[in-house]
Amino acid sequence: MATFAFTSGATSPTGSAFAYLPMGAYSSPSVDPPPPEPLIDSVTALSPTTLELTWDTPMTDDADLIDAGNYSVGNADIARVTRVDEDTVHLHLDDPLSPGVHAVTAAGMTSTAGGTALAASTVTAARRIRTWLQGSHYQATAATVRLTVDPSGTPATYDWSVAAGTVYKSLDLLVVSWQAALGTAAWVELVPDTTTHRAHVRINTAGGETYSIAWSHSGDGTAIRDRLGETGNVSGRATATVWTNPVQAGWYGWHGATRLRRKTTRPLATRREMLSGTHSETQHGAIPSELGLVQLAMTLRWGPPPGVAVTLGGHEAFDAFIDELWDATGGGEPWTIYHLPDDEPAPERYEVSFSDSEFTLMPRRVGGRPEQLYELELDLIADVAP
Amino acid sequence: MMRLDAGVRIDPSNDRLTVNYNAAGATVVTLTHGLYRSLSELLAHLQVRLRAVIHSSMTCTESAGTVTISWTGGVSTTITWTHPALRTWLGFGGTSVTATTSTTASNVAEGVFVATLPWEDPSPVGWQLALLRARHAHGAPRSFRRCKRRRFEVTARVRDSETLQFRGVLRQFLRGYPGTLYRDTTVSAAWAWDEPWGAVTVQLEQDEYSDDWQDARRDVLIVPLTFLEETA
């Protein structure tokens, strides 16, 4: 008799647990029991935009396995599904998953045991990254970066060509450009780590194959390589590997920005926005779509996540950030602030420069939370603000 | 507690002392010219020179800024302060001293202030940046970072009785000498991100300072100070 292990949150949407008992145990022994229905073993949030879903049995058809139409995650839009192995996939979302519990369903694929998947589970998205800072990237030389999928099997190449003089105002925009060149062959994303206040690259190939990268397939792509935290060409790397070194000029905070004061959008109309974790509030009713140079005062807050040793990791990462804004082969200024309130699906983007040429940045301890919470005031000029 | 050591430049005016160890004859000990950013750095060099020129047992130590020079063998040794400036900087007095095992300075070294009251530190570290924004070639205006220095702010608390020593240390900083800020005297390691209580070599960012009475008791001064990490 087959046995089934029910894991936390994994149920069949078609009935109770009795639905999983082999029918033959209760009826004529001459009737073959139906093949066992695959169950979702677990769903784990690997990053704000990527979930890992594992099945309790391998699946037979890779095309079904990576068909985004076979899955749903709450109200989120699934941009891509990539195969890690025959019973594990990664679901890549267009926007970060909001905090809370989300229903996850999967259907339409067949396991090696013959059963057809129609399973449900849930995933709980933990508190997500709210504010991240990224330097811009100035590509001085023309370059073509070649990613080869399955280099030791049936190689397929995907070229990303960047013209000399191309400026990406943030690392996220650089990654979006690379993603466009990769199409459906692979998924590239930055995985934030709020403990180290950094982010690392992760690339998933669609079918779970290994991949290689030649940064200077033509031209000189070493600047892009350095920016993304690599030191040499990538050879035969396993899919879904989080790269060892962090990207340069990226800073990811646990608490994020708590206040933003828009100072000189237009005469006599200052605007104040609260950037708390759960909502945004605006005072003075400025026109949100109003463009032009905007003077901003932002309060950035950081500290170690709960349960993590008290260190100056946030300071150290910020120190590296303001080094790498200029030292890395980037554009210096402007750079980008992303802020993601809990009640908005997509992050707001501010394209900023420091407002002064000589200035001091002193993160202050927040009273009552010694060594655990710091605030830093940033005076900025924004070219782009929501 | 915090401690502040002012640096000193050893030059022809303060580079030598004369030692007569075990009646072997007076020998001039010359220090290498240069900038010494803490008392311990200076004593380490003095010990090297004494061991090289006088005797291998010569040892230079300090405790809370009070210097001791010692040696083994219980032999009579005379130290003559050829350069009074060096003597005073180390906290000794008189023109010479004779002892059999060690001699300890009568005063705290001139460039050292060891706090006896807690100093405030509202921020563990910050940054001071200077940018240059210019039109670069025929591209868009670019910004270049001219300077980035780590910044340390402390609010010193000084007892009335300690004012003279404190002002002596600050005077040296105001002259432009770098020094060493010990953020915790129990930590001997250098400042690092994973040891933010370590010692850091700094310069005073201010060109003046003011000390104010902390309260109506008028026995404690508070002095806001800003230091920048010394850069090569």
Side-chain angles (χ1 to χ4, degrees):
Chain A
M1 172 188 273
T3 57
F4 299 92
F6 286 84
T7 57
S8 173
T11 61
S12 164
T14 58
S16 67
F18 290 107
Y20 293 95
L21 292 173
M23 294 300 290
Y26 299 96
S27 60
S28 166
S30 63
V31 177
D32 288 337
E37 190 174 286
L39 284 176
I40 295 174
D41 226 9
S42 64
V43 183
T44 309
L46 297 181
S47 74
T49 54
T50 295
L51 306 179
E52 182 171 271
L53 186 152
T54 60
W55 294 97
D56 65 343
T57 54
M59 297 298 172
T60 56
D61 191 329
D62 285 348
D64 285 341
L65 196 61
I66 63 171
D67 183 351
N70 286 339
Y71 301 87
S72 74
V73 180
N75 294 323
D77 292 328
I78 300 173
R80 195 75 51 79
V81 178
T82 56
R83 175 189 185 277
V84 177
D85 55 37
E86 66 266 20
D87 60 6
T88 304
V89 292
H90 284 182
L91 311 179
H92 305 286
L93 311 177
D94 276 334
D95 294 314
L97 205 56
S98 60
V101 179
H102 302 267
V104 178
T105 66
M109 62 208 75
T110 306
S111 77
T112 53
T116 301
L118 180 58
S121 184
T122 59
V123 63
T124 302
R127 187 176 181 186
R128 65 194 181 185
I129 182 83
R130 291 214 174 86
T131 305
W132 57 103
L133 319 179
Q134 292 183 344
S136 52
H137 180 84
Y138 177 76
Q139 183 61 27
T141 56
T144 297
V145 176
R146 168 163 288 186
L147 184 141
T148 304
V149 174
D150 198 14
S152 57
T154 310
T157 58
Y158 301 89
D159 289 344
W160 173 36
S161 295
V162 182
T166 301
V167 179
Y168 300 103
K169 297 292 178 59
S170 74
L171 291 170
D172 280 2
L173 293 175
L174 181 146
V175 166
V176 164
S177 172
W178 193 9
Q179 180 61 57
L182 295 175
T184 58
W187 181 263
V188 55
E189 70 172 332
L190 302 182
V191 182
D193 180 342
T194 52
T195 302
T196 62
H197 297 78
R198 311 288 182 94
H200 300 251
V201 173
R202 177 172 57 210
I203 294 179
N204 283 45
T205 53
E209 307 90 345
T210 59
Y211 64 89
S212 297
I213 300 172
W215 296 104
S216 302
H217 174 67
S218 69
D220 183 0
T222 54
I224 295 172
R225 176 199 68 190
D226 294 347
R227 224 25 170 13
L228 296 177
E230 267 303 339
T231 54
N233 284 340
V234 174
S235 178
R237 183 165 290 172
T239 186
T241 300
V242 176
W243 293 7
T244 303
N245 298 320
V247 297
Q248 293 189 345
W251 185 93
Y252 292 73
W254 170 255
H255 295 280
T258 56
R259 188 177 71 88
L260 182 143
R261 178 180 162 83
R262 187 184 293 233
K263 295 199 284 195
T264 56
T265 303
R266 55 185 171 145
L268 303 178
T270 60
R271 174 179 171 187
R272 183 190 299 269
E273 291 178 50
M274 291 295 295
L275 301 181
S276 73
T278 55
H279 63 285
S280 301
E281 289 179 358
T282 303
Q283 288 182 331
H284 300 296
I287 301 167
S289 60
E290 199 169 53
L291 297 178
L293 288 180
V294 178
Q295 199 172 351
L296 301 175
M298 176 174 267
T299 302
L300 201 58
R301 182 174 277 203
W302 73 71
V308 172
V310 174
T311 68
L312 293 184
H315 289 69
E316 183 178 9
F318 194 86
D319 187 84
F321 174 73
I322 54 179
D323 269 344
E324 292 163 358
L325 267 183
W326 288 276
D327 289 353
T329 50
E333 292 179 310
W335 47 281
T336 292
I337 298 172
Y338 288 96
H339 182 75
L340 180 63
D342 282 353
D343 57 354
E344 292 188 20
E348 298 169 340
R349 194 170 83 85
Y350 300 80
E351 201 175 292
V352 300
S353 302
F354 290 106
S355 61
D356 299 312
S357 292
E358 295 189 8
F359 55 96
T360 296
L361 303 172
M362 287 300 288
R364 303 285 177 186
R365 290 190 180 91
V366 175
R369 303 282 289 166
E371 314 301 343
Q372 292 187 320
L373 201 54
Y374 299 92
E375 279 189 346
L376 176 63
E377 301 284 339
L378 296 172
D379 283 325
L380 306 164
I381 301 277
D383 300 324
V384 174
Chain B
M1 291 296 184
M2 291 198 192
R3 164 176 165 162
L4 199 52
D5 278 26
V8 64
R9 179 172 293 284
I10 296 297
D11 59 23
S13 71
N14 61 359
D15 68 348
R16 65 194 59 192
L17 67 165
T18 304
V19 180
N20 188 345
Y21 176 81
N22 198 20
T27 304
V28 173
V29 179
T30 306
L31 303 182
T32 304
H33 293 180
L35 198 55
Y36 296 84
R37 291 164 173 80
S38 68
L39 180 63
S40 65
E41 186 182 354
L42 179 60
L43 291 181
H45 177 63
L46 177 59
Q47 178 173 292
V48 167
R49 296 296 299 140
L50 287 172
R51 288 185 175 184
V53 178
I54 305 299
H55 190 264
S56 60
S57 69
M58 300 294 289
T59 301
C60 299
T61 57
E62 60 125 337
S63 174
T66 301
V67 175
T68 295
I69 301 173
S70 57
W71 52 92
T72 59
V75 295
S76 177
T77 299
T78 298
I79 298 174
T80 303
W81 299 107
T82 315
H83 281 162
L86 179 62
R87 170 203 65 198
T88 306
W89 185 260
L90 294 175
F92 288 90
T95 56
S96 66
V97 59
T98 300
T100 54
T101 55
S102 68
T103 177
T104 299
S106 52
N107 300 308
V108 171
E110 197 171 70
V112 175
F113 184 83
V114 182
T116 58
L117 296 170
W119 289 12
E120 279 183 80
D121 169 13
S123 170
V125 63
W127 303 271
Q128 191 158 302
L129 286 103
L131 308 179
L132 171 67
R133 295 192 174 93
R135 188 164 290 280
H136 179 60
H138 55 274
R142 299 280 303 276
S143 80
F144 304 87
R145 198 188 62 213
R146 290 167 50 211
C147 179
K148 187 201 87 174
R149 298 178 74 179
R150 295 197 187 98
R151 178 183 167 102
F152 299 89
E153 291 179 358
V154 294
T155 301
R157 282 196 168 76
V158 182
R159 294 180 199 278
D160 195 24
S161 58
E162 300 167 335
T163 311
L164 192 63
Q165 181 75 15
F166 182 75
R167 288 179 178 170
V169 173
L170 263 291
R171 182 170 59 241
Q172 192 75 351
F173 274 102
L174 287 172
R175 286 172 178 157
Y177 287 93
T180 303
L181 174 65
Y182 294 87
R183 292 171 51 77
D184 185 337
T185 52
T186 65
V187 177
S188 57
W191 185 93
W193 288 113
D194 57 359
E195 185 43 276
W197 300 105
V200 58
T201 306
V202 293
Q203 290 174 298
L204 190 65
E205 196 261 351
Q206 306 148 245
D207 54 11
E208 60 181 355
Y209 76 95
S210 64
D211 41 23
D212 299 317
W213 298 117
Q214 183 185 26
D215 53 38
R217 289 174 57 199
R218 306 237 164 155
D219 58 355
V220 173
L221 291 162
I222 56 171
V223 189
L225 297 171
T226 302
F227 296 98
L228 297 179
E229 186 177 25
E230 189 192 21
T231 54

